[in-house]
Each structure stands twice: as C-alpha cells, then as structure tokens.
Amino acid sequence: MMVKNLASPRPPPTERPKNRLLRALPEADFQRLLPDLKTIPSTAKQVFHRHGEPVKFVYFPNGGVASVTAVMADGTMVETATVGNEGVVGIEAFFANDAIAPGETLMQVPDTSVEQLSVAAFRRETALNGAFANVVGRYAQAAMSQMMQSAACNARHHIEERCPRWLLMTHDRVGADTFHLSHEYLGVMLGVRRQSVTVVAGTLQSAGLITYKHGLVTVLNRKGLEAAACECYALVRRKFDDLLS
C-alpha cells in the first residue's frame, strides 16, 4: 500500500515560496538552501516553539500571522511580536546554536503553508556570511524594533488604538479583507479580557470600519482604521519596509 506524502509538493526550480526573505535570495543561495526546506501546511493554533524549550527548527511563513507570546507565571500569554511572510519564526537561532524559546510561538491566522528549516542548516547558511545572513540579519533588526515598539505601545496606548494597529498588521499579511480571528486571540494580542475585546470590536463596527461576527473579521474602511490606530503601526511598517526593501 502506498503511503501519501502529506507535505506540500516542492515548487518548481523557477518558483519561489511566498516568504519575502526566501524570495529576496539570489538564485544560487536559494538553490543551496532548497534541499533543506520542507513545506508544511499551516493550521490554526499550530505551535512552533514552546516556552523554555530548545529551538530545533525555524519557519518561514508563506502567509498568515504567527504570534510570539510571553508566558506569565499563571499561564497567561501576552503577544510581543507577530510574524508573517516578511520574516522567520525562531529568529533567536540567528544569535546562538543552542537557542532557547523565550516564549510560545503559534500560528494564529493560518494561510497556506510555512517553510521548515532545521537550525543546523539555518546556522550553516548564516555562517557563510553571504546573502542569506544579510537578509536574516536585516529582518532581526526589524523584529527587535517591532518588539520594542510593542512594549512601548502596550504601556502608553489605549486598547482603542492598539486594536486597529493589530488589525492593520494582520490585513497587510493575509492579503484579504476578510480573515478569521477569535475573541480569545484578540484578548491575547491586546492583553485584555474577552469582555474588553467585545467592547472595542463593537466600537469599530459602529464606526463602520469593520464587521466582526462569529470569529470572522472584514475590513470595510482601511483608511479609517489607519486613522484610528496609534502611531506604532506606521512606525513598525516603515521599519520593515526600509530594512527588507
């Protein structure tokens, strides 16, 4: 009996994954990396790294939104960064062979697939100090800027400003006006209770900026969301665009 391979088929040599870092590589560098890449489907709540465990693989999303969270002593999770097709999950492996996951990272808004790469292959390629190390290093700078801005945002800005910021970041990454997003995850993202999520989502709906029903968000007024969001959205997006262009 033939066993089916559940992994997504490898794209033809002329076709690249949708991940922006992998697309930015010169052809020779990408071809050298290609045998070590494994395409796997992305699913909701798919855990990539668990708090305190060794990082064995890094993941290059081809779409969707992965969430990097800090885990508190009581088990509460608060989001510290998001990763989409502009980046890599497990960036801490860029700094050490034996990197430990500082939090829990999971796929919150799935879309298509991710490219899995062992840390051994990742470190081997970055040690060459070539194009791969350059694009990943530039992304690491942008990711650190995002985490610093998120910390400042959570401390200084109200939920009514932070929620539009996160919805815009998700809208950028999924490439569609409608996407699945649970009250539970919005609460993790904002560091608030579900009741507060209901209130702020209702306010955005009343303003005609979104609809939110049964875990499905539809962006109706992108310009309005940008006006409602805090300054952090534009600052972080500009940083990524500058470093990854």
Side-chain angles (χ1 to χ4, degrees):
M1 178 178 177
M2 182 177 294
V3 179
K4 292 183 178 180
N5 183 359
L6 298 181
S8 301
R10 170 61 51 202
T14 56
E15 187 177 332
R16 295 285 184 95
K18 293 181 180 179
N19 181 272
R20 287 172 59 187
L21 298 186
L22 297 179
R23 282 182 173 268
L25 294 176
E27 185 63 21
D29 296 76
F30 177 71
Q31 290 298 327
R32 187 171 57 248
L33 200 62
L34 186 59
D36 294 302
L37 290 172
K38 179 182 179 182
T39 305
I40 60 175
S42 64
T43 58
K45 304 302 176 66
Q46 176 181 3
V47 177
F48 298 114
H49 302 125
R50 295 192 183 278
H51 172 66
E53 294 186 356
V55 176
K56 298 180 179 179
F57 297 94
V58 298
Y59 300 87
F60 298 85
N62 289 315
V65 180
S67 177
V68 182
T69 65
V71 182
M72 310 304 287
D74 63 357
T76 301
M77 293 191 298
V78 179
E79 185 181 80
T80 58
T82 56
V83 184
N85 68 354
E86 80 292 339
V88 55
V89 173
I91 190 60
E92 52 269 26
F94 182 68
F95 304 102
N97 287 317
D98 54 353
I100 300 296
E104 185 163 300
T105 305
L106 63 159
M107 181 62 76
Q108 292 290 6
V109 184
D111 182 25
T112 64
S113 61
V114 298
E115 304 295 327
Q116 183 189 71
L117 181 68
S118 71
V119 167
F122 178 82
R123 295 285 297 179
R124 181 199 68 214
E125 191 66 23
T126 55
L128 297 176
N129 290 320
F132 184 76
N134 182 54
V135 297
V136 173
R138 291 166 72 87
Y139 171 74
Q141 293 182 63
M144 290 176 65
S145 294
Q146 180 189 180
M147 291 180 184
M148 292 177 64
Q149 195 69 40
S150 293
C153 184
N154 289 340
R156 300 295 297 174
H157 294 145
H158 296 296
I159 182 176
E160 292 82 4
E161 297 174 296
R162 291 190 283 120
C163 188
R165 172 180 71 90
W166 196 91
L167 292 174
L168 287 165
M169 292 168 64
T170 303
H171 191 225
D172 288 342
R173 290 176 168 117
V174 300
D177 290 335
T178 299
F179 47 90
H180 289 278
L181 187 63
S182 69
H183 267 57
E184 176 188 7
Y185 178 46
L186 263 177
V188 169
M189 179 274 296
L190 296 169
V192 298
R193 295 176 299 173
R194 287 172 59 96
Q195 296 92 324
S196 299
V197 171
T198 300
V199 172
V200 70
T203 300
L204 294 175
Q205 286 194 102
S206 297
L209 305 183
I210 67 168
T211 61
Y212 188 25
K213 188 175 183 181
H214 303 308
L216 200 65
V217 175
T218 299
V219 175
L220 301 176
N221 184 343
R222 166 87 190 195
K223 291 293 185 183
L225 269 184
E226 290 177 355
C230 57
E231 66 200 73
C232 300
Y233 167 71
L235 288 172
V236 171
R237 175 163 180 170
R238 185 160 58 248
K239 179 66 69 173
F240 274 106
D241 287 344
D242 289 345
L243 286 171
L244 300 181
S245 60

mmCIF file with all atom_site columns, all heavy atoms in Angstrom, residues 80-105:
data_model
loop_
_atom_site.group_PDB
_atom_site.id
_atom_site.type_symbol
_atom_site.label_atom_id
_atom_site.label_alt_id
_atom_site.label_comp_id
_atom_site.label_asym_id
_atom_site.label_entity_id
_atom_site.label_seq_id
_atom_site.pdbx_PDB_ins_code
_atom_site.Cartn_x
_atom_site.Cartn_y
_atom_site.Cartn_z
_atom_site.occupancy
_atom_site.B_iso_or_equiv
_atom_site.pdbx_formal_charge
_atom_site.auth_seq_id
_atom_site.auth_comp_id
_atom_site.auth_asym_id
_atom_site.auth_atom_id
_atom_site.pdbx_PDB_model_num
ATOM 1   N N   . THR A 1 80  ? 4.020  39.588 22.053 1.00 0.00 ? 80  THR A N   1
ATOM 2   C CA  . THR A 1 80  ? 5.131  40.538 21.997 1.00 0.00 ? 80  THR A CA  1
ATOM 3   C C   . THR A 1 80  ? 5.537  40.881 20.563 1.00 0.00 ? 80  THR A C   1
ATOM 4   O O   . THR A 1 80  ? 6.199  41.896 20.336 1.00 0.00 ? 80  THR A O   1
ATOM 5   C CB  . THR A 1 80  ? 6.361  39.989 22.736 1.00 0.00 ? 80  THR A CB  1
ATOM 6   O OG1 . THR A 1 80  ? 6.741  38.736 22.143 1.00 0.00 ? 80  THR A OG1 1
ATOM 7   C CG2 . THR A 1 80  ? 6.051  39.768 24.210 1.00 0.00 ? 80  THR A CG2 1
ATOM 8   N N   . ALA A 1 81  ? 5.181  40.021 19.603 1.00 0.00 ? 81  ALA A N   1
ATOM 9   C CA  . ALA A 1 81  ? 5.527  40.274 18.198 1.00 0.00 ? 81  ALA A CA  1
ATOM 10  C C   . ALA A 1 81  ? 4.679  39.389 17.306 1.00 0.00 ? 81  ALA A C   1
ATOM 11  O O   . ALA A 1 81  ? 4.155  38.357 17.741 1.00 0.00 ? 81  ALA A O   1
ATOM 12  C CB  . ALA A 1 81  ? 7.011  40.007 17.943 1.00 0.00 ? 81  ALA A CB  1
ATOM 13  N N   . THR A 1 82  ? 4.543  39.798 16.060 1.00 0.00 ? 82  THR A N   1
ATOM 14  C CA  . THR A 1 82  ? 3.870  38.987 15.055 1.00 0.00 ? 82  THR A CA  1
ATOM 15  C C   . THR A 1 82  ? 4.823  38.752 13.886 1.00 0.00 ? 82  THR A C   1
ATOM 16  O O   . THR A 1 82  ? 5.706  39.569 13.617 1.00 0.00 ? 82  THR A O   1
ATOM 17  C CB  . THR A 1 82  ? 2.589  39.663 14.536 1.00 0.00 ? 82  THR A CB  1
ATOM 18  O OG1 . THR A 1 82  ? 2.919  40.966 14.027 1.00 0.00 ? 82  THR A OG1 1
ATOM 19  C CG2 . THR A 1 82  ? 1.544  39.801 15.628 1.00 0.00 ? 82  THR A CG2 1
ATOM 20  N N   . VAL A 1 83  ? 4.628  37.631 13.224 1.00 0.00 ? 83  VAL A N   1
ATOM 21  C CA  . VAL A 1 83  ? 5.478  37.273 12.083 1.00 0.00 ? 83  VAL A CA  1
ATOM 22  C C   . VAL A 1 83  ? 4.580  36.811 10.938 1.00 0.00 ? 83  VAL A C   1
ATOM 23  O O   . VAL A 1 83  ? 3.706  35.960 11.135 1.00 0.00 ? 83  VAL A O   1
ATOM 24  C CB  . VAL A 1 83  ? 6.466  36.142 12.442 1.00 0.00 ? 83  VAL A CB  1
ATOM 25  C CG1 . VAL A 1 83  ? 7.399  35.866 11.259 1.00 0.00 ? 83  VAL A CG1 1
ATOM 26  C CG2 . VAL A 1 83  ? 7.270  36.476 13.687 1.00 0.00 ? 83  VAL A CG2 1
ATOM 27  N N   . GLY A 1 84  ? 4.815  37.366 9.762  1.00 0.00 ? 84  GLY A N   1
ATOM 28  C CA  . GLY A 1 84  ? 4.101  36.939 8.567  1.00 0.00 ? 84  GLY A CA  1
ATOM 29  C C   . GLY A 1 84  ? 5.087  36.545 7.494  1.00 0.00 ? 84  GLY A C   1
ATOM 30  O O   . GLY A 1 84  ? 6.212  36.120 7.784  1.00 0.00 ? 84  GLY A O   1
ATOM 31  N N   . ASN A 1 85  ? 4.691  36.732 6.242  1.00 0.00 ? 85  ASN A N   1
ATOM 32  C CA  . ASN A 1 85  ? 5.565  36.293 5.152  1.00 0.00 ? 85  ASN A CA  1
ATOM 33  C C   . ASN A 1 85  ? 6.774  37.207 4.949  1.00 0.00 ? 85  ASN A C   1
ATOM 34  O O   . ASN A 1 85  ? 7.604  36.962 4.085  1.00 0.00 ? 85  ASN A O   1
ATOM 35  C CB  . ASN A 1 85  ? 4.776  36.160 3.838  1.00 0.00 ? 85  ASN A CB  1
ATOM 36  C CG  . ASN A 1 85  ? 4.304  37.491 3.293  1.00 0.00 ? 85  ASN A CG  1
ATOM 37  O OD1 . ASN A 1 85  ? 4.442  38.536 3.921  1.00 0.00 ? 85  ASN A OD1 1
ATOM 38  N ND2 . ASN A 1 85  ? 3.706  37.461 2.110  1.00 0.00 ? 85  ASN A ND2 1
ATOM 39  N N   . GLU A 1 86  ? 6.881  38.236 5.795  1.00 0.00 ? 86  GLU A N   1
ATOM 40  C CA  . GLU A 1 86  ? 8.067  39.097 5.739  1.00 0.00 ? 86  GLU A CA  1
ATOM 41  C C   . GLU A 1 86  ? 9.216  38.565 6.581  1.00 0.00 ? 86  GLU A C   1
ATOM 42  O O   . GLU A 1 86  ? 10.318 39.130 6.537  1.00 0.00 ? 86  GLU A O   1
ATOM 43  C CB  . GLU A 1 86  ? 7.707  40.520 6.226  1.00 0.00 ? 86  GLU A CB  1
ATOM 44  C CG  . GLU A 1 86  ? 7.651  40.706 7.737  1.00 0.00 ? 86  GLU A CG  1
ATOM 45  C CD  . GLU A 1 86  ? 6.515  39.967 8.433  1.00 0.00 ? 86  GLU A CD  1
ATOM 46  O OE1 . GLU A 1 86  ? 5.535  39.623 7.757  1.00 0.00 ? 86  GLU A OE1 1
ATOM 47  O OE2 . GLU A 1 86  ? 6.609  39.742 9.655  1.00 0.00 ? 86  GLU A OE2 1
ATOM 48  N N   . GLY A 1 87  ? 8.981  37.487 7.349  1.00 0.00 ? 87  GLY A N   1
ATOM 49  C CA  . GLY A 1 87  ? 10.007 37.120 8.306  1.00 0.00 ? 87  GLY A CA  1
ATOM 50  C C   . GLY A 1 87  ? 10.181 35.638 8.552  1.00 0.00 ? 87  GLY A C   1
ATOM 51  O O   . GLY A 1 87  ? 9.829  34.793 7.727  1.00 0.00 ? 87  GLY A O   1
ATOM 52  N N   . VAL A 1 88  ? 10.761 35.353 9.721  1.00 0.00 ? 88  VAL A N   1
ATOM 53  C CA  . VAL A 1 88  ? 11.071 33.979 10.102 1.00 0.00 ? 88  VAL A CA  1
ATOM 54  C C   . VAL A 1 88  ? 10.707 33.790 11.575 1.00 0.00 ? 88  VAL A C   1
ATOM 55  O O   . VAL A 1 88  ? 10.966 34.666 12.409 1.00 0.00 ? 88  VAL A O   1
ATOM 56  C CB  . VAL A 1 88  ? 12.566 33.646 9.848  1.00 0.00 ? 88  VAL A CB  1
ATOM 57  C CG1 . VAL A 1 88  ? 13.487 34.630 10.552 1.00 0.00 ? 88  VAL A CG1 1
ATOM 58  C CG2 . VAL A 1 88  ? 12.902 32.225 10.297 1.00 0.00 ? 88  VAL A CG2 1
ATOM 59  N N   . VAL A 1 89  ? 10.091 32.664 11.880 1.00 0.00 ? 89  VAL A N   1
ATOM 60  C CA  . VAL A 1 89  ? 9.768  32.296 13.255 1.00 0.00 ? 89  VAL A CA  1
ATOM 61  C C   . VAL A 1 89  ? 10.964 31.547 13.843 1.00 0.00 ? 89  VAL A C   1
ATOM 62  O O   . VAL A 1 89  ? 11.429 30.565 13.263 1.00 0.00 ? 89  VAL A O   1
ATOM 63  C CB  . VAL A 1 89  ? 8.507  31.410 13.304 1.00 0.00 ? 89  VAL A CB  1
ATOM 64  C CG1 . VAL A 1 89  ? 8.265  30.880 14.714 1.00 0.00 ? 89  VAL A CG1 1
ATOM 65  C CG2 . VAL A 1 89  ? 7.293  32.184 12.800 1.00 0.00 ? 89  VAL A CG2 1
ATOM 66  N N   . GLY A 1 90  ? 11.460 32.031 14.984 1.00 0.00 ? 90  GLY A N   1
ATOM 67  C CA  . GLY A 1 90  ? 12.641 31.422 15.590 1.00 0.00 ? 90  GLY A CA  1
ATOM 68  C C   . GLY A 1 90  ? 13.893 32.231 15.330 1.00 0.00 ? 90  GLY A C   1
ATOM 69  O O   . GLY A 1 90  ? 14.994 31.683 15.256 1.00 0.00 ? 90  GLY A O   1
ATOM 70  N N   . ILE A 1 91  ? 13.741 33.548 15.227 1.00 0.00 ? 91  ILE A N   1
ATOM 71  C CA  . ILE A 1 91  ? 14.870 34.410 14.898 1.00 0.00 ? 91  ILE A CA  1
ATOM 72  C C   . ILE A 1 91  ? 15.965 34.328 15.960 1.00 0.00 ? 91  ILE A C   1
ATOM 73  O O   . ILE A 1 91  ? 17.138 34.624 15.683 1.00 0.00 ? 91  ILE A O   1
ATOM 74  C CB  . ILE A 1 91  ? 14.400 35.879 14.715 1.00 0.00 ? 91  ILE A CB  1
ATOM 75  C CG1 . ILE A 1 91  ? 15.518 36.750 14.130 1.00 0.00 ? 91  ILE A CG1 1
ATOM 76  C CG2 . ILE A 1 91  ? 13.878 36.440 16.014 1.00 0.00 ? 91  ILE A CG2 1
ATOM 77  C CD1 . ILE A 1 91  ? 16.019 36.300 12.781 1.00 0.00 ? 91  ILE A CD1 1
ATOM 78  N N   . GLU A 1 92  ? 15.645 33.863 17.181 1.00 0.00 ? 92  GLU A N   1
ATOM 79  C CA  . GLU A 1 92  ? 16.666 33.740 18.225 1.00 0.00 ? 92  GLU A CA  1
ATOM 80  C C   . GLU A 1 92  ? 17.780 32.777 17.822 1.00 0.00 ? 92  GLU A C   1
ATOM 81  O O   . GLU A 1 92  ? 18.905 32.873 18.320 1.00 0.00 ? 92  GLU A O   1
ATOM 82  C CB  . GLU A 1 92  ? 16.031 33.306 19.555 1.00 0.00 ? 92  GLU A CB  1
ATOM 83  C CG  . GLU A 1 92  ? 15.158 32.093 19.489 1.00 0.00 ? 92  GLU A CG  1
ATOM 84  C CD  . GLU A 1 92  ? 13.696 32.431 19.231 1.00 0.00 ? 92  GLU A CD  1
ATOM 85  O OE1 . GLU A 1 92  ? 13.419 33.491 18.639 1.00 0.00 ? 92  GLU A OE1 1
ATOM 86  O OE2 . GLU A 1 92  ? 12.837 31.627 19.623 1.00 0.00 ? 92  GLU A OE2 1
ATOM 87  N N   . ALA A 1 93  ? 17.483 31.853 16.888 1.00 0.00 ? 93  ALA A N   1
ATOM 88  C CA  . ALA A 1 93  ? 18.519 30.925 16.407 1.00 0.00 ? 93  ALA A CA  1
ATOM 89  C C   . ALA A 1 93  ? 19.604 31.653 15.617 1.00 0.00 ? 93  ALA A C   1
ATOM 90  O O   . ALA A 1 93  ? 20.687 31.101 15.402 1.00 0.00 ? 93  ALA A O   1
ATOM 91  C CB  . ALA A 1 93  ? 17.889 29.836 15.555 1.00 0.00 ? 93  ALA A CB  1
ATOM 92  N N   . PHE A 1 94  ? 19.319 32.872 15.189 1.00 0.00 ? 94  PHE A N   1
ATOM 93  C CA  . PHE A 1 94  ? 20.320 33.663 14.472 1.00 0.00 ? 94  PHE A CA  1
ATOM 94  C C   . PHE A 1 94  ? 21.487 34.035 15.390 1.00 0.00 ? 94  PHE A C   1
ATOM 95  O O   . PHE A 1 94  ? 22.608 34.250 14.934 1.00 0.00 ? 94  PHE A O   1
ATOM 96  C CB  . PHE A 1 94  ? 19.667 34.930 13.917 1.00 0.00 ? 94  PHE A CB  1
ATOM 97  C CG  . PHE A 1 94  ? 20.579 35.810 13.112 1.00 0.00 ? 94  PHE A CG  1
ATOM 98  C CD1 . PHE A 1 94  ? 21.070 35.396 11.884 1.00 0.00 ? 94  PHE A CD1 1
ATOM 99  C CD2 . PHE A 1 94  ? 20.942 37.071 13.580 1.00 0.00 ? 94  PHE A CD2 1
ATOM 100 C CE1 . PHE A 1 94  ? 21.914 36.214 11.134 1.00 0.00 ? 94  PHE A CE1 1
ATOM 101 C CE2 . PHE A 1 94  ? 21.770 37.897 12.841 1.00 0.00 ? 94  PHE A CE2 1
ATOM 102 C CZ  . PHE A 1 94  ? 22.255 37.465 11.613 1.00 0.00 ? 94  PHE A CZ  1
ATOM 103 N N   . PHE A 1 95  ? 21.240 34.060 16.696 1.00 0.00 ? 95  PHE A N   1
ATOM 104 C CA  . PHE A 1 95  ? 22.231 34.540 17.645 1.00 0.00 ? 95  PHE A CA  1
ATOM 105 C C   . PHE A 1 95  ? 22.975 33.431 18.378 1.00 0.00 ? 95  PHE A C   1
ATOM 106 O O   . PHE A 1 95  ? 24.000 33.701 19.014 1.00 0.00 ? 95  PHE A O   1
ATOM 107 C CB  . PHE A 1 95  ? 21.561 35.460 18.665 1.00 0.00 ? 95  PHE A CB  1
ATOM 108 C CG  . PHE A 1 95  ? 20.832 36.622 18.040 1.00 0.00 ? 95  PHE A CG  1
ATOM 109 C CD1 . PHE A 1 95  ? 19.444 36.610 17.920 1.00 0.00 ? 95  PHE A CD1 1
ATOM 110 C CD2 . PHE A 1 95  ? 21.527 37.703 17.547 1.00 0.00 ? 95  PHE A CD2 1
ATOM 111 C CE1 . PHE A 1 95  ? 18.770 37.670 17.333 1.00 0.00 ? 95  PHE A CE1 1
ATOM 112 C CE2 . PHE A 1 95  ? 20.868 38.778 16.958 1.00 0.00 ? 95  PHE A CE2 1
ATOM 113 C CZ  . PHE A 1 95  ? 19.482 38.749 16.841 1.00 0.00 ? 95  PHE A CZ  1
ATOM 114 N N   . ALA A 1 96  ? 22.482 32.181 18.313 1.00 0.00 ? 96  ALA A N   1
ATOM 115 C CA  . ALA A 1 96  ? 23.143 31.104 19.058 1.00 0.00 ? 96  ALA A CA  1
ATOM 116 C C   . ALA A 1 96  ? 22.766 29.744 18.498 1.00 0.00 ? 96  ALA A C   1
ATOM 117 O O   . ALA A 1 96  ? 21.640 29.548 18.016 1.00 0.00 ? 96  ALA A O   1
ATOM 118 C CB  . ALA A 1 96  ? 22.764 31.164 20.543 1.00 0.00 ? 96  ALA A CB  1
ATOM 119 N N   . ASN A 1 97  ? 23.704 28.795 18.571 1.00 0.00 ? 97  ASN A N   1
ATOM 120 C CA  . ASN A 1 97  ? 23.429 27.423 18.131 1.00 0.00 ? 97  ASN A CA  1
ATOM 121 C C   . ASN A 1 97  ? 22.408 26.730 19.022 1.00 0.00 ? 97  ASN A C   1
ATOM 122 O O   . ASN A 1 97  ? 21.618 25.909 18.563 1.00 0.00 ? 97  ASN A O   1
ATOM 123 C CB  . ASN A 1 97  ? 24.721 26.592 18.148 1.00 0.00 ? 97  ASN A CB  1
ATOM 124 C CG  . ASN A 1 97  ? 25.652 26.961 17.010 1.00 0.00 ? 97  ASN A CG  1
ATOM 125 O OD1 . ASN A 1 97  ? 25.222 27.155 15.877 1.00 0.00 ? 97  ASN A OD1 1
ATOM 126 N ND2 . ASN A 1 97  ? 26.939 27.070 17.302 1.00 0.00 ? 97  ASN A ND2 1
ATOM 127 N N   . ASP A 1 98  ? 22.455 27.058 20.318 1.00 0.00 ? 98  ASP A N   1
ATOM 128 C CA  . ASP A 1 98  ? 21.603 26.376 21.290 1.00 0.00 ? 98  ASP A CA  1
ATOM 129 C C   . ASP A 1 98  ? 20.509 27.298 21.821 1.00 0.00 ? 98  ASP A C   1
ATOM 130 O O   . ASP A 1 98  ? 20.249 27.358 23.027 1.00 0.00 ? 98  ASP A O   1
ATOM 131 C CB  . ASP A 1 98  ? 22.445 25.841 22.450 1.00 0.00 ? 98  ASP A CB  1
ATOM 132 C CG  . ASP A 1 98  ? 23.303 26.934 23.092 1.00 0.00 ? 98  ASP A CG  1
ATOM 133 O OD1 . ASP A 1 98  ? 23.332 28.057 22.555 1.00 0.00 ? 98  ASP A OD1 1
ATOM 134 O OD2 . ASP A 1 98  ? 23.920 26.654 24.134 1.00 0.00 ? 98  ASP A OD2 1
ATOM 135 N N   . ALA A 1 99  ? 19.874 28.024 20.926 1.00 0.00 ? 99  ALA A N   1
ATOM 136 C CA  . ALA A 1 99  ? 18.843 28.989 21.316 1.00 0.00 ? 99  ALA A CA  1
ATOM 137 C C   . ALA A 1 99  ? 17.686 28.305 22.040 1.00 0.00 ? 99  ALA A C   1
ATOM 138 O O   . ALA A 1 99  ? 17.279 27.189 21.692 1.00 0.00 ? 99  ALA A O   1
ATOM 139 C CB  . ALA A 1 99  ? 18.324 29.731 20.092 1.00 0.00 ? 99  ALA A CB  1
ATOM 140 N N   . ILE A 1 100 ? 17.156 28.989 23.039 1.00 0.00 ? 100 ILE A N   1
ATOM 141 C CA  . ILE A 1 100 ? 16.001 28.529 23.796 1.00 0.00 ? 100 ILE A CA  1
ATOM 142 C C   . ILE A 1 100 ? 14.836 29.468 23.509 1.00 0.00 ? 100 ILE A C   1
ATOM 143 O O   . ILE A 1 100 ? 15.004 30.701 23.506 1.00 0.00 ? 100 ILE A O   1
ATOM 144 C CB  . ILE A 1 100 ? 16.294 28.507 25.316 1.00 0.00 ? 100 ILE A CB  1
ATOM 145 C CG1 . ILE A 1 100 ? 17.475 27.572 25.616 1.00 0.00 ? 100 ILE A CG1 1
ATOM 146 C CG2 . ILE A 1 100 ? 15.058 28.091 26.106 1.00 0.00 ? 100 ILE A CG2 1
ATOM 147 C CD1 . ILE A 1 100 ? 17.222 26.121 25.299 1.00 0.00 ? 100 ILE A CD1 1
ATOM 148 N N   . ALA A 1 101 ? 13.656 28.915 23.287 1.00 0.00 ? 101 ALA A N   1
ATOM 149 C CA  . ALA A 1 101 ? 12.482 29.737 23.001 1.00 0.00 ? 101 ALA A CA  1
ATOM 150 C C   . ALA A 1 101 ? 12.118 30.581 24.224 1.00 0.00 ? 101 ALA A C   1
ATOM 151 O O   . ALA A 1 101 ? 11.850 30.023 25.291 1.00 0.00 ? 101 ALA A O   1
ATOM 152 C CB  . ALA A 1 101 ? 11.310 28.855 22.599 1.00 0.00 ? 101 ALA A CB  1
ATOM 153 N N   . PRO A 1 102 ? 12.112 31.907 24.108 1.00 0.00 ? 102 PRO A N   1
ATOM 154 C CA  . PRO A 1 102 ? 11.800 32.762 25.248 1.00 0.00 ? 102 PRO A CA  1
ATOM 155 C C   . PRO A 1 102 ? 10.317 32.811 25.575 1.00 0.00 ? 102 PRO A C   1
ATOM 156 O O   . PRO A 1 102 ? 9.918  33.257 26.652 1.00 0.00 ? 102 PRO A O   1
ATOM 157 C CB  . PRO A 1 102 ? 12.305 34.136 24.796 1.00 0.00 ? 102 PRO A CB  1
ATOM 158 C CG  . PRO A 1 102 ? 12.175 34.100 23.314 1.00 0.00 ? 102 PRO A CG  1
ATOM 159 C CD  . PRO A 1 102 ? 12.476 32.675 22.913 1.00 0.00 ? 102 PRO A CD  1
ATOM 160 N N   . GLY A 1 103 ? 9.480  32.371 24.648 1.00 0.00 ? 103 GLY A N   1
ATOM 161 C CA  . GLY A 1 103 ? 8.043  32.363 24.849 1.00 0.00 ? 103 GLY A CA  1
ATOM 162 C C   . GLY A 1 103 ? 7.428  31.254 24.024 1.00 0.00 ? 103 GLY A C   1
ATOM 163 O O   . GLY A 1 103 ? 8.121  30.329 23.596 1.00 0.00 ? 103 GLY A O   1
ATOM 164 N N   . GLU A 1 104 ? 6.135  31.328 23.796 1.00 0.00 ? 104 GLU A N   1
ATOM 165 C CA  . GLU A 1 104 ? 5.460  30.347 22.948 1.00 0.00 ? 104 GLU A CA  1
ATOM 166 C C   . GLU A 1 104 ? 5.067  31.014 21.641 1.00 0.00 ? 104 GLU A C   1
ATOM 167 O O   . GLU A 1 104 ? 4.529  32.125 21.639 1.00 0.00 ? 104 GLU A O   1
ATOM 168 C CB  . GLU A 1 104 ? 4.222  29.789 23.643 1.00 0.00 ? 104 GLU A CB  1
ATOM 169 C CG  . GLU A 1 104 ? 3.546  28.678 22.856 1.00 0.00 ? 104 GLU A CG  1
ATOM 170 C CD  . GLU A 1 104 ? 2.588  27.854 23.710 1.00 0.00 ? 104 GLU A CD  1
ATOM 171 O OE1 . GLU A 1 104 ? 3.040  27.261 24.699 1.00 0.00 ? 104 GLU A OE1 1
ATOM 172 O OE2 . GLU A 1 104 ? 1.396  27.814 23.359 1.00 0.00 ? 104 GLU A OE2 1
ATOM 173 N N   . THR A 1 105 ? 5.360  30.347 20.541 1.00 0.00 ? 105 THR A N   1
ATOM 174 C CA  . THR A 1 105 ? 5.047  30.887 19.226 1.00 0.00 ? 105 THR A CA  1
ATOM 175 C C   . THR A 1 105 ? 4.088  29.952 18.518 1.00 0.00 ? 105 THR A C   1
ATOM 176 O O   . THR A 1 105 ? 4.341  28.752 18.418 1.00 0.00 ? 105 THR A O   1
ATOM 177 C CB  . THR A 1 105 ? 6.317  31.057 18.373 1.00 0.00 ? 105 THR A CB  1
ATOM 178 O OG1 . THR A 1 105 ? 7.258  31.850 19.095 1.00 0.00 ? 105 THR A OG1 1
ATOM 179 C CG2 . THR A 1 105 ? 5.997  31.742 17.057 1.00 0.00 ? 105 THR A CG2 1
#
